[in-house]
Amino acid sequence: MVAGSVSQKLASRLAKELKSELIIPETKRFPDGEIYIRLPGEVKQKHVLVVQSTCAPQNDNLMELLFMLDLTKNLGARKVTAVVPYLAYARQDKRFKPGEAVSIKTVSKLIARAGADELITVDVHESKSKRDFSIPLRNLTAMPLLGICLKKMKLKNPVVLGGDQGSENRAQIVASKMGADADYLEKRRLTPTKVVMTPKSLDVRGRDVVIVDDIISTGGTVVEATKILKRQGARKVYAACTHAVLAGGAEKNLAAAGVVKIIATDTIEKKVSLVSVAPLIAHSLG
Ligand code: R5P
């Protein structure tokens, strides 16, 4: 297994799960910013996993991934599996406006052409993304693991809410592991400029609430939801997600809105990565 620079903890947990050798590439920057990479290990005739998230700085981390894939293939690996737990550009999966780049398609071509025989990722933004890849794509979900972690936290009469109807299924998976109720936040337009968000059918008064999403990026979605839930009498609000992108001042804004804790995975290695997706990935390879 080859551990990319931003996924070293995950790669080492995965190597332990799979009882496989861990190769840490030697990387450095040339004075002009270019990336140097060397693989100090034997990959010839082996099935090699290259583990690298494409979190910020996305383009640098993507480039490092491409170098590692090409190098591994070039050094004679029999099969190369790209493990990209957070797949950058997955949100730009169609031309929303005429003339826009469909960035995920470009990323998929690069990963395949660089030498990956297959790709494993976690909670990719759109499950339809499969059609953008010319190599087999395994999209795993971390929702059961988040549910198991939340169950241990012994929340009070908890309700799990998807941030929108699209997240209802995620909320249901998490809730089923916790033995909790699930619902989603419904957006209703009152006037052309005024939108209200409210749980579709459950009352949150006096209950602990977990808002579940695939990504927390700016935190805007969860901040808005939290403010509303607090007004509706929610006791404590938790935010659970697979990918803690946490751009800008997201953490500060979430805390100010009343989120007591963020529970995320190590697809992006952060302080809030309380859940590891290593067992999930290992199981999918097993
Ligand atoms: C949207 O479709 C996604 O599932 C997330 O809700 C969104 O990316 C979160 O973004 P932010 O944290 O910036 O509101």
Side-chain angles (χ1 to χ4, degrees), residues 41 75 123:
L75 293 174
D123 286 314

Side-chain angles (χ1 to χ4, degrees), residues 177-233:
K177 290 287 172 190
M178 296 170 66
D181 292 330
D183 201 354
Y184 67 90
L185 285 160
E186 188 180 47
K187 282 186 189 153
R188 275 184 301 125
R189 192 166 288 283
L190 298 182
T191 68
T193 52
K194 194 160 183 219
V195 173
V196 287
M197 265 197 283
T198 178
K200 178 83 172 67
S201 46
L202 293 178
D203 189 352
V204 295
R205 198 164 306 275
R207 305 179 73 174
D208 284 348
V209 179
V210 182
I211 304 169
V212 172
D213 217 332
D214 54 343
I215 302 173
I216 300 179
S217 182
T218 63
T221 310
V222 177
V223 163
E224 278 317 301
T226 305
K227 286 184 190 159
I228 288 157
L229 292 165
K230 292 301 276 184
R231 263 186 254 133
Q232 291 173 352

